Amino acid sequence: MHISFTFKNLIIATTVVAMVVVVFLVHALAGLSARPVVFADPPAFVERYAAEMDHSDPSSPLKEPETDGGHVDESESVKMTTDFSNEKALVLNLILDGESPDVLLRLFTHPEKAQRVKVALAFAALNVELNHDDESDFGEKKDQFFVDVKEHFPDIQNAFFEALITSAEEGTTTYIPYTLAWWMPGQEQKNVEVLAWAAKHHPDPWVRRFSVFFVVEFGGDEELAGPLLRNGTHDPAYRVRKEVLEQRFRRFIGER
């Protein structure tokens, strides 16, 4: 009789635990409380740094859009982040040919914001494609470029920030978070702040997922990581919610 009573209690307890786990997983992964991703003002230091650069105009567009009687159709305005194929070919040649770093550096610090954005997007795209390509010398020569321009890291870093923010404004994808995450020694805190912003406000799910992963696992800033984990269950993309759940589980079992 006592054994039967204990067994029943065990079944009830197991059932309750299972139900709690199911409810937790549904809440974490089902997206029932998902909220739309809304663009918000990025960290102010990005625009401030661009404004303080010599001969820099942080609001300079690629070209003036066509007007009709003084009215500008925003749908026809030129986006900076949709086509950077020319810059991509140029960056590839400059890196592989071992050109003076000054040539590429001038692009990262160009007076026009559009040029800085495009070269940063091109560099980041090539870094993802070729950094671990055994048949390409890009990874090794890219590392040498960084060695040569070490004193200009803040200038280059800010160009990557501008490109990431602009891609969020224009609704385009980018792999800039990958480059920011694994490079820029001495500049880590700003990287973490910008990626924490991107994790909440960039429309591309890959950018948000990767940014959550990096900020939580490697950012070393609980004031930024904590809110991402608490609010990540409301992300509209399943892959982001799954990353948040995995990071919360890693913390629960002590893997940080």
Side-chain angles (χ1 to χ4, degrees):
M1 186 75 171
H2 178 70
I3 295 177
S4 177
F5 179 75
T6 302
F7 184 67
K8 288 181 179 179
N9 284 342
L10 181 60
I11 292 177
I12 292 173
T14 302
T15 301
V16 170
V17 171
M19 291 178 63
V20 170
V21 171
V22 169
V23 170
F24 173 76
L25 290 177
V26 169
H27 174 70
L29 294 176
L32 300 179
S33 60
R35 302 167 185 166
V37 175
V38 179
F39 184 87
D41 290 339
F45 57 75
V46 178
E47 184 173 356
R48 185 166 58 245
Y49 188 96
E52 292 172 353
M53 289 176 61
D54 291 340
H55 312 298
S56 174
D57 178 6
S59 61
S60 175
L62 181 60
K63 68 177 184 179
E64 292 295 327
E66 298 270 337
T67 60
D68 181 11
H71 173 71
V72 177
D73 185 351
E74 293 183 2
S75 65
E76 295 179 358
S77 61
V78 177
K79 291 185 177 182
M80 288 183 265
T81 59
T82 53
D83 182 12
F84 47 89
S85 55
N86 291 337
E87 286 76 13
K88 191 174 178 181
L90 178 60
V91 171
L92 182 61
N93 288 334
L94 289 174
I95 293 293
L96 294 183
D97 291 347
E99 293 283 347
S100 168
D102 293 342
V103 179
L104 190 50
L105 183 60
R106 282 198 296 271
L107 296 176
F108 276 111
T109 59
H110 197 279
E112 293 186 2
K113 177 180 177 180
Q115 184 60 77
R116 301 193 301 270
V117 165
K118 284 179 176 290
V119 74
L121 291 169
F123 194 103
L126 288 168
N127 194 34
V128 168
E129 294 173 15
L130 300 176
N131 192 47
H132 299 291
D133 186 347
D134 294 336
E135 298 181 0
S136 171
D137 294 330
F138 181 86
E140 180 180 346
K141 292 188 175 182
K142 174 261 302 179
D143 291 342
Q144 183 59 51
F145 167 76
F146 284 151
V147 170
D148 294 338
V149 299
K150 184 176 181 179
E151 63 182 289
H152 300 284
F153 276 2
D155 296 339
I156 300 172
Q157 178 192 43
N158 210 70
F160 282 122
F161 289 163
E162 288 183 291
L164 179 60
I165 293 166
T166 303
S167 74
E169 290 178 305
E170 298 183 349
T172 54
T173 189
T174 178
Y175 293 103
I176 283 177
Y178 173 82
T179 297
L180 288 175
W182 310 127
W183 171 68
M184 210 71 70
Q187 310 293 323
E188 292 87 353
Q189 184 56 36
K190 284 187 175 181
N191 287 349
V192 173
E193 290 184 42
V194 171
L195 290 179
W197 171 85
K200 295 181 289 185
H201 302 296
H202 199 289
D204 180 18
W206 182 90
V207 170
R208 299 199 305 277
R209 187 205 67 78
F210 184 91
S211 297
V212 167
F213 157 75
F214 181 78
V215 172
V216 173
E217 196 156 334
F218 299 100
D221 190 327
E222 186 59 28
E223 291 186 3
L224 295 175
L228 292 185
L229 292 179
R230 289 193 295 273
N231 299 324
T233 54
H234 305 301
D235 194 281
Y238 171 78
R239 71 176 76 175
V240 180
R241 298 194 299 270
K242 182 173 180 290
E243 181 64 41
V244 169
L245 178 61
E246 290 175 355
Q247 291 298 332
R248 293 175 69 180
F249 180 72
R250 288 173 64 87
R251 288 189 163 201
F252 178 75
I253 64 176
E255 291 187 12
R256 281 203 330 150

